[in-house]
Amino acid sequence: MTKSIVCMQHLSDGQQELIRAAAPDYTLTLGDSRNPDLELLSGAEIIIGWGKGVSDTLLRQGSPLRWVQAWSAGVEKLPLEAMHERGILLTNASGVHAEPITAVIFSFMLMFTRNMHTAIRNQQNRRWHSDGQESELTGKTAVIAGTGSIGSETARIAKAFCMKTIGVSRSGRPVDGFDEVFTTGQLKDSVSDADFIINTLPITDETQGIFDADIFSAAKQGAYYINIGRGATTNTDDLISALHSGQLAGAGLDVFEKEPLPEDHPLWEMEQVIMTPHCAGVTDRYADRVVDIFVENMKAYLESGTPSLNLVDYSRQY
């Protein structure tokens, strides 16, 4: 009997051929995450992506579903508890975002050190002005919460700017590119010397609201805060208070507790804040990279029954 893979995202002909070559005994069918075909999904052993309203079909008793390859790095919106109970393997797209998100992180840092955000406003107002406060990244310290693919790539590039790199992770294990690595429990201590506090954390029960007044008050006076992880890891009211007081000199934000950010939100009017609309991970190479992950995982799945890359630990929620 032919086995079924259903991809809920658009794939090019070349991307489809890569999957078919890796899984010759499976059919590959493209679905639509916005208008899912439940009959098609009901027979799938492997799903790439997810869609609204598909849980009852895919997680029903007797469903042949064995493995879900998420289209995103974050999996908090999936029915994790039910998937765990059903014994479904879940892999995420971690690693897909490392290059584009690292570029956004450095865009924020370079804009702040060179006052480019101010220069853009001056240009719009035809104002020829510099306050002489431009700086540089050389010798600065970046504290990076999260030492996975994004954090590690950020640390690697930071070394090219002659920066000191401090990582923060659940385990505190040494990681290439970092001068030191602290545990999450040592986050407050780690930020005391930071010129840039960079948040790449996923949202879990442990990271919910972890960046709050306690952490911001422990930071070096005049540090910058950058969040490209998840909005709910930050207490926004505490962040705004730290910005108003000058404890933090500025913030570069791609993610927010509530998205889209309401038009009347005070962050819009803060000149020391640079914002992007949760697009730091967007890249024209996204699908290529997800397919590469899936193909490698498919090879391992056929050999051992378990994907080899980005297998989600349900107990950790990532």
Side-chain angles (χ1 to χ4, degrees):
M1 180 178 178
T2 304
K3 300 178 180 181
S4 171
I5 301 170
V6 177
C7 179
M8 304 293 288
Q9 300 288 334
H10 173 75
L11 298 175
S12 68
D13 291 344
Q15 291 159 353
Q16 293 179 55
E17 286 307 310
L18 287 173
I19 292 174
R20 291 191 175 100
D25 296 329
Y26 286 73
T27 61
L28 170 65
T29 309
L30 300 188
D32 184 348
S33 62
R34 293 166 295 184
N35 185 28
D37 183 335
L38 297 182
E39 183 176 353
L40 173 66
L41 291 170
S42 67
E45 177 183 331
I46 301 169
I47 298 290
I48 304 173
W50 198 257
K52 289 185 178 180
V54 303
S55 295
D56 289 346
T57 297
L58 291 174
L59 302 178
R60 75 189 190 282
Q61 193 68 30
S63 168
L65 182 65
R66 285 284 299 121
W67 167 27
V68 174
Q69 169 66 62
W71 196 255
S72 61
V75 295
E76 68 274 5
K77 294 182 180 180
L78 297 180
L80 299 180
E81 185 175 346
M83 293 172 72
H84 188 203
E85 290 176 356
R86 284 271 289 104
I88 293 169
L89 299 165
L90 174 61
T91 52
N92 65 22
S94 179
V96 168
H97 310 87
E99 286 84 358
I101 289 184
T102 296
V104 171
I105 290 169
F106 276 91
S107 295
F108 286 146
M109 291 200 291
L110 289 167
M111 288 184 78
F112 284 131
T113 53
R114 302 306 303 166
N115 284 334
M116 296 303 292
H117 57 312
T118 301
I120 290 170
R121 285 195 296 271
N122 286 339
Q123 179 181 345
Q124 291 172 336
N125 294 317
R126 301 173 185 261
R127 184 176 183 232
W128 183 277
H129 174 74
S130 167
D131 60 10
Q133 298 300 310
E134 284 76 19
S135 183
E136 56 189 77
L137 295 181
T138 302
K140 297 290 196 300
T141 296
V143 173
I144 305 169
T147 59
S149 59
I150 296 169
S152 295
E153 179 67 3
T154 301
R156 185 183 73 83
I157 300 299
K159 284 302 178 184
F161 283 92
C162 301
M163 299 181 72
K164 181 179 180 180
T165 53
I166 297 174
V168 179
S169 70
R170 201 168 186 263
S171 68
R173 287 193 296 265
V175 178
D176 287 346
F178 291 94
D179 297 308
E180 299 177 75
V181 179
F182 292 83
T183 65
T184 306
Q186 297 171 300
L187 177 61
K188 187 174 179 179
D189 295 328
S190 74
V191 301
S192 60
D193 292 325
D195 296 291
F196 295 94
I197 303 167
I198 302 168
N199 177 4
T200 76
L201 295 175
I203 185 64
T204 68
D205 293 340
E206 293 179 2
T207 63
Q208 181 89 24
I210 192 171
F211 283 93
D212 58 11
D214 197 36
I215 299 300
F216 296 136
S217 64
K220 179 180 178 180
Q221 181 85 25
Y224 292 92
Y225 178 66
I226 293 171
N227 187 9
I228 53 73
R230 284 292 184 266
T233 61
T234 302
N235 183 309
T236 306
D237 289 340
D238 290 353
L239 172 61
I240 290 172
S241 294
L243 289 165
H244 276 312
S245 71
Q247 176 65 20
L248 294 176
L253 308 172
D254 183 62
V255 291
F256 306 86
E257 285 188 275
K258 184 177 181 180
E259 296 180 0
L261 190 68
E263 291 183 4
D264 60 352
H265 200 282
L267 283 172
W268 288 111
E269 298 179 354
M270 302 184 77
E271 293 190 353
Q272 71 273 52
V273 174
I274 305 171
M275 298 187 293
T276 49
H278 202 152
C279 62
V282 175
T283 170
D284 54 3
R285 299 185 62 185
Y286 195 101
D288 285 339
R289 289 174 177 153
V290 176
V291 169
D292 287 345
I293 291 170
F294 179 79
V295 166
E296 287 302 310
N297 274 336
M298 191 72 215
K299 293 174 184 177
Y301 181 79
L302 292 175
E303 291 175 1
S304 67
T306 304
S308 57
L309 300 175
N310 298 351
L311 190 62
V312 170
D313 181 339
Y314 284 107
S315 68
R316 295 185 179 183
Q317 301 172 293
Y318 64 90

